[in-house]
Amino acid sequence: MIRIPRYLVVFSIVITCLASCVSSTDQKLINQKLWFKQPAKIWEEALPVGNGRIGAMIYGDPQTEHLQLNDDSMWPGDPDEWTDPEGRPNDLQKIRELLIAGKNQEADSMFVDKFSNKSVGRSHQTLGDLTINWNHENITNYRRELDLASAIAMVSYQTNGHQVTEKIFASHLDEVIVMEIISEAPNGLSGTLQLTRPEDEEHPTVQTITINDQTIAMQGEVTQYGGAFQSKPFPITEGVKFETVVQIQAEDGTVSSATGQLQLDNVHKARILLVTNSDYYHEDFEAMNRQQLENIKKKNTSELLTEHIEDHQSLFNRVQLDIVHQSPDSLPTDKRLALVKEGATDVGLEQTLFHYGRYLLIASSRPGTNPANLQGLWNPHITAPWNGDYHLNINLQMNYWLANLTNLDELNQPLFDYIDRLVDNGHETASTNFGMRGSFIPHATDLWAPTWLRAPTAYWGCSVGGGGWLMQHYWQHVVFTQDTSFLQKRAFPAMHEVAQFYSDWLIEDPRDGYLVSAPSTSPENIFLMADGGQAATCMGSAMDQQIIHELFTNYLAACEWLEVDNELKESIEQQLPQLRPGFVLGEDGRILEWDRPYEENEPGHRHMSHLYEFHPGTAINKTDHPELFEAVQRTLDYRLANGGAGTGWSRAWLINLSARLGNAEMAKEHIRLLLAKSMYDNLFDSHPPFQIDGNFGITAGIAEMLVQSHAGYIEFLPALPEAYKNGSFDGLKVRGNGVVSAKWSDGQITSASLMAASGGTFIVHKPDGVKTIDLYINDRHLSTKPEGNLYKVDIPKGASLQMKFL
């Protein structure tokens, strides 16, 4: 049977599809492509390809083709001097005494002074650039596109009337970026290829060498001469060592090398192979490059391409979404986006964004790689915005909201591998700095998984909720997959360590006797004291209280699942009823963000942290908590009335929150606004600058509009805007390891199915407007009678429940 919680299937609202002048099949293909009539002039117009570990941004320039290259391990090193801050348990006690005395600003200062390494400059970096000087002239019939369904970028044009075609993809199976170039010109193609990498504060970062007439290599080591630690300059002169190798294999003409460059002359067809490896993954990374090139020699381009497409589509094709619509499908992507920025609605482009998020996660997070960072995989900088690192106060988590929802469970593995490293490292921080058992995880970290706090201000960097938030991903993965082995071997050990830390961390608030997290902040936000002074720390922010409540609740559920009885379980059972509620309403009916009804310094703040346990948490739903449900809406209305959702990822969070509220038009409007206000021409999310979390967040949000299963039941189409009338989806996933599909017409669901991969008992809710639901398993009609509006159905493992709504 299905393990905790139980699942009921509610068929409620329906996503509308839009009437179109083209066929549904044509629409589906169009809305799985980005395409343009001109080359990229800036990075935010280039098109991304990736295999999880390495990737490229394709400019498609007929004059000088440019591939900006990426590798997820391009990080400067981890100096021995970068250790835990000087703070110790007695310092923590003093901070708590300051908070109890109402001296919050002094507590802020001491928290930063003793427990933060303040400003840190250590960034994920670009791998470099591959350029080919074609110098083609008289360009006509130009087209540049990215096919999301095949993960292939294509560039085609005519130069002096002769066709040139480029096809570029990043193979996960063969660990190679492939560019196939074909020219129909009588004299073929001639051009010069080179590999380069930007300097680091005027220090060269690579050298390029010639291996043979067809092959060059770029060798280097990642440094950060502009590095910083504890808000002081700290040049990092050592780091990850790497080698990037490019080889040209031409069917005719000649290929030669000189001074670290490759020259093509009179080539009609060639393939360019790029492999790159680092000592982060392989001790002998140069030998790995040679081995990968040798393996590729055994395959022609057609074989490489076919296997690449099959591998990509084994993930991408799990979900289908077909929304009928009236949109300008014949226009290039940038022109459609421009129309949206002028006030138009483009449901087809919104559908493209849904697919794009899935594409980007497949391209930036595969088992065995690092997790997707703030820019996913794609970063042109030596010093990236916000270091291109891992922020744990929403950004890394939002990157993975879509994984289980869109049936990409295994793409969580890089996240879990990374969290396990944080849990291991967090033991020392918990013990040394705070005198606690278990493991502490901070709000921001990087490739080397340090667990000390960073940031020069308490409001930005002194959040203690990151570890608990990450544990939510372990638990939700278990609930979605019903994988007891994963729970026992991976999730539960991590949850135990983080729950142990919070169990030790809690103290009694003498004002009301509740257990609270202290010091506690609401990420990146501040409040005003009675004297008008700004402060960040308090005695139990709403978010911290909600995170700890959620983790404790899930830990007890895991103990029950695994039949575990231990000392920590007993402690949590005693502490949970004493925990101050994370949802406390103010006089105006809004949810308080801090421990008391302070005046807000920024009422329209981008973070909605005090709604954590509503979304991405699962504690609040309209059936069991109508008063809090209404308070969430009131809280969001106030945030928006004061200028909220100013960043791309914040808008994406609002889409998810709106979907959970069942507020279809609100969700739809924020999808439109995300396109209109926070989107680059290549459909990368704009914070600004580029952050990939908004791309992943909108995909999760649209999935939440289509189906929800967080409230103990499964509700299909819970947030259907008027603009989406007719359509279908297939392959989305619900808790209980169910894979679901649905069809609807004119705003009314007509049929649905649920495949129970693990088997179990599901409950189907009859939506408004439906008289009855006919239920079938393997064409056998079920005589199930509803209890009120609920149909309880036992589904054998691997069987499908078919439903007709009458």
Side-chain angles (χ1 to χ4, degrees):
M1 62 179 291
I2 295 175
R3 305 305 297 265
I4 312 165
R6 294 186 309 152
Y7 307 97
L8 96 77
V9 183
V10 174
F11 298 88
S12 181
I13 304 180
V14 188
I15 274 211
T16 39
C17 297
L18 313 150
S20 170
C21 56
V22 296
S23 72
S24 176
T25 300
D26 289 342
Q27 278 189 337
K28 185 183 299 184
L29 296 175
I30 290 169
N31 292 316
Q32 293 181 0
K33 289 185 179 181
L34 284 67
W35 71 281
F36 306 85
K37 289 187 174 181
Q38 70 284 333
K41 297 187 183 308
I42 60 174
W43 189 85
E44 290 82 3
E45 296 173 356
L47 294 173
V49 296
N51 73 354
R53 181 180 64 85
I54 62 174
M57 296 290 288
I58 315 301
Y59 282 67
D61 190 338
Q63 303 295 318
T64 302
E65 175 59 295
H66 180 192
L67 275 64
Q68 185 270 317
L69 306 172
N70 297 280
D71 179 316
D72 71 6
S73 66
M74 290 294 98
W75 282 84
D78 191 24
D80 293 337
E81 299 90 334
W82 289 36
T83 59
D84 286 317
E86 65 180 30
R88 294 297 182 265
N90 61 308
D91 298 309
L92 176 62
Q93 180 59 33
K94 291 178 182 177
I95 292 171
R96 289 172 164 175
E97 291 171 358
L98 289 171
L99 288 171
I100 292 171
K103 299 178 180 180
N104 301 63
Q105 292 168 299
E106 293 182 38
D108 286 2
S109 298
M110 188 172 181
F111 201 5
V112 171
D113 183 54
K114 294 295 185 180
F115 290 99
S116 173
N117 278 328
K118 305 175 183 65
S119 292
V120 171
R122 177 167 63 183
S123 176
H124 177 252
Q125 298 184 7
T126 178
L127 175 60
D129 301 274
L130 183 156
T131 56
I132 310 174
N133 296 317
W134 295 126
N135 296 319
H136 289 160
E137 301 175 339
N138 302 319
I139 305 301
T140 56
N141 297 326
Y142 181 93
R143 181 181 174 102
R144 177 171 57 101
E145 72 172 43
L146 176 63
D147 188 332
L148 305 179
S150 64
I152 298 171
M154 291 189 65
V155 180
S156 64
Y157 55 87
Q158 291 182 337
T159 173
N160 294 320
H162 301 296
Q163 185 69 30
V164 176
T165 304
E166 296 179 8
K167 189 177 294 183
I168 305 157
F169 59 95
S171 168
H172 171 70
L173 294 176
D174 291 291
E175 295 284 0
V176 61
I177 295 175
V178 179
M179 174 190 289
E180 182 185 60
I181 308 174
I182 300 174
S183 172
E184 296 179 3
N187 294 326
L189 294 162
S190 297
T192 303
L193 180 152
Q194 59 181 345
L195 287 170
T196 59
R197 190 170 188 267
E199 291 187 341
D200 177 13
E201 301 279 321
E202 300 183 352
H203 292 267
T205 59
V206 292
Q207 63 174 348
T208 305
I209 62 173
T210 300
I211 295 179
N212 56 45
D213 283 345
Q214 291 80 40
T215 312
I216 58 173
M218 179 174 70
Q219 300 171 334
E221 182 174 3
V222 183
T223 58
Q224 194 93 62
Y225 282 90
F229 185 66
Q230 295 181 340
S231 296
K232 299 175 182 178
F234 194 116
I236 305 173
T237 59
E238 296 180 341
V240 170
K241 297 180 177 67
F242 63 95
E243 180 188 64
T244 303
V245 180
V246 171
Q247 184 174 96
I248 300 178
Q249 300 172 352
E251 292 192 0
D252 63 355
T254 61
V255 178
S256 58
S257 62
T259 63
Q261 299 180 344
L262 293 174
Q263 177 68 39
L264 297 86
D265 291 296
N266 307 119
V267 172
H268 289 87
K269 185 175 183 180
R271 70 175 183 179
I272 299 173
L273 306 175
L274 183 147
V275 295
T276 185
N277 281 282
S278 73
D279 66 355
Y280 178 82
Y281 285 108
H282 304 285
E283 182 176 356
D284 194 343
F285 53 94
E286 295 173 348
M288 180 58 63
N289 280 332
R290 293 191 294 272
Q291 182 62 55
Q292 288 173 352
L293 279 175
E294 188 63 30
N295 294 340
I296 294 166
K297 285 182 181 179
K298 303 171 185 177
K299 301 178 182 180
N300 60 40
T301 303
S302 178
E303 291 173 317
L304 288 172
L305 186 60
T306 298
E307 293 175 0
H308 160 73
I309 293 173
E310 289 177 352
D311 170 67
H312 174 74
Q313 291 186 344
S314 70
L315 298 166
F316 188 84
N317 284 358
R318 291 178 186 177
V319 171
Q320 302 294 327
L321 175 60
D322 187 10
I323 300 178
V324 183
H325 60 272
Q326 288 180 332
S327 294
D329 293 334
S330 61
L331 293 180
T333 302
D334 55 330
K335 302 302 182 185
R336 296 174 69 171
L337 182 61
L339 290 175
V340 175
K341 292 178 184 291
E342 294 172 2
T345 295
D346 190 334
V347 173
L349 199 58
E350 295 168 9
Q351 187 172 334
T352 301
L353 272 180
F354 172 79
H355 294 305
Y356 199 30
R358 298 190 301 119
Y359 168 87
L360 291 171
L361 190 62
I362 294 168
S364 63
S365 181
R366 292 288 197 107
T369 72
N370 288 308
N373 63 32
L374 282 174
Q375 282 76 38
L377 173 66
W378 302 276
N379 166 29
H381 305 287
I382 294 293
T383 302
W386 302 285
N387 290 325
D389 60 16
Y390 299 110
H391 279 43
L392 313 182
N393 59 9
I394 188 171
N395 310 98
L396 176 60
Q397 290 91 334
M398 185 181 284
N399 286 0
Y400 287 89
W401 283 354
L402 67 93
N404 293 121
L405 292 171
T406 62
N407 208 350
L408 296 172
D409 299 323
E410 62 267 58
L411 300 193
N412 278 319
Q413 292 307 317
L415 175 66
F416 297 144
D417 291 343
Y418 184 68
I419 296 173
D420 284 349
R421 293 173 57 206
L422 291 173
V423 171
D424 287 343
N425 294 342
H427 288 113
E428 181 177 353
T429 303
S431 175
T432 302
N433 288 134
F434 301 120
M436 310 290 174
R437 294 170 294 176
S439 178
F440 173 78
I441 297 176
H443 87 288
T445 182
D446 57 35
L447 179 75
W448 307 112
T451 53
W452 29 258
L453 291 169
R454 60 180 74 188
T457 59
Y459 77 88
W460 189 77
C462 291
S463 171
V464 300
W469 194 333
L470 290 174
M471 294 306 102
Q472 180 192 90
H473 285 255
Y474 275 112
W475 179 249
Q476 289 303 315
H477 185 79
V478 170
V479 176
F480 268 97
T481 63
Q482 300 290 291
D483 189 340
T484 299
S485 177
F486 175 83
L487 173 61
Q488 184 175 36
K489 297 177 182 178
R490 296 290 300 274
F492 187 78
M495 293 170 67
H496 179 90
E497 296 305 314
V498 177
Q500 180 69 73
F501 172 81
Y502 287 127
S503 180
D504 286 1
W505 174 261
L506 292 172
I507 63 170
E508 182 178 311
D509 187 335
R511 295 172 298 179
D512 53 27
Y514 280 121
L515 294 178
V516 296
S517 169
S520 177
T521 67
S522 190
E524 303 186 28
N525 206 355
I526 55 180
F527 56 89
L528 300 180
M529 302 289 290
D531 61 1
Q534 298 179 350
T537 55
C538 70
M539 298 282 287
S541 70
M543 186 182 200
D544 279 2
Q545 298 299 115
Q546 291 173 26
I547 285 175
I548 295 170
H549 175 269
E550 176 189 68
L551 176 57
F552 281 7
T553 301
N554 292 341
Y555 181 80
L556 294 179
C559 287
E560 181 178 350
W561 190 318
L562 296 175
E563 299 180 348
V564 168
D565 193 6
N566 58 32
E567 181 181 343
L568 179 59
K569 175 177 176 287
E570 294 177 2
S571 296
I572 288 176
E573 286 174 335
Q574 294 176 4
Q575 289 175 310
L576 195 55
Q578 303 175 53
L579 194 66
R580 180 190 293 142
F583 288 98
V584 178
L585 302 189
E587 293 182 354
D588 60 359
R590 292 187 293 127
I591 296 165
L592 297 185
E593 187 162 357
W594 294 278
D595 57 342
R596 293 295 183 267
Y598 302 111
E599 182 180 349
E600 297 164 86
N601 181 68
E602 188 181 349
H605 197 268
R606 60 195 173 275
H607 284 258
M608 280 76 70
S609 303
H610 45 324
L611 304 183
Y612 168 84
E613 215 171 356
F614 175 74
H615 182 279
T618 62
I620 305 302
N621 62 75
K622 61 188 175 185
T623 303
D624 299 326
H625 314 94
E627 182 183 10
L628 289 178
F629 204 76
E630 182 179 345
V632 170
Q633 182 69 68
R634 188 174 292 114
T635 301
L636 289 177
D637 289 344
Y638 182 85
R639 233 6 172 226
L640 291 170
N642 286 277
T647 63
W649 63 261
S650 180
R651 186 83 62 188
W653 194 357
L654 271 166
I655 295 166
N656 286 267
L657 289 163
S658 302
R660 284 281 180 91
L661 283 168
N663 193 330
E665 299 307 325
M666 182 179 178
K668 175 65 178 64
E669 176 62 5
H670 286 299
I671 292 173
R672 189 190 69 80
L673 289 171
L674 183 65
L675 276 165
K677 294 186 174 183
S678 302
M679 200 64 58
Y680 293 110
D681 279 356
N682 65 357
L683 299 189
F684 269 178
D685 167 65
S686 170
H687 179 284
F690 164 57
Q691 274 188 203
I692 203 166
D693 39 21
N695 289 105
F696 295 139
I698 190 174
T699 299
I702 292 174
E704 291 272 1
M705 294 166 72
L706 292 165
V707 62
Q708 295 177 16
S709 60
H710 64 282
Y713 51 78
I714 303 167
E715 183 175 4
F716 276 74
L717 311 171
L720 177 67
E722 176 62 27
Y724 299 0
K725 280 189 179 177
N726 305 285
S728 64
F729 72 81
D730 181 59
L732 293 177
K733 198 158 188 182
V734 295
R735 293 164 179 83
N737 206 18
V739 179
V740 293
S741 67
K743 295 180 180 180
W744 59 94
S745 177
D746 197 24
Q748 180 61 58
I749 191 165
T750 57
S751 64
S753 68
L754 188 156
M755 193 282 287
S758 301
T761 301
F762 292 80
I763 301 174
V764 181
H765 178 269
K766 180 171 65 69
D768 294 339
V770 172
K771 294 182 179 180
T772 188
I773 306 174
D774 281 352
L775 305 175
Y776 300 84
I777 295 180
N778 297 331
D779 296 325
R780 178 176 59 85
H781 185 265
L782 304 182
S783 59
T784 305
K785 301 296 182 182
E787 298 178 10
N789 288 327
L790 303 181
Y791 290 76
K792 188 175 182 180
V793 184
D794 293 325
I795 308 176
K797 181 178 180 179
S800 291
L801 174 70
Q802 304 297 324
M803 292 157 277
K804 296 180 181 179
F805 297 81
L806 306 173

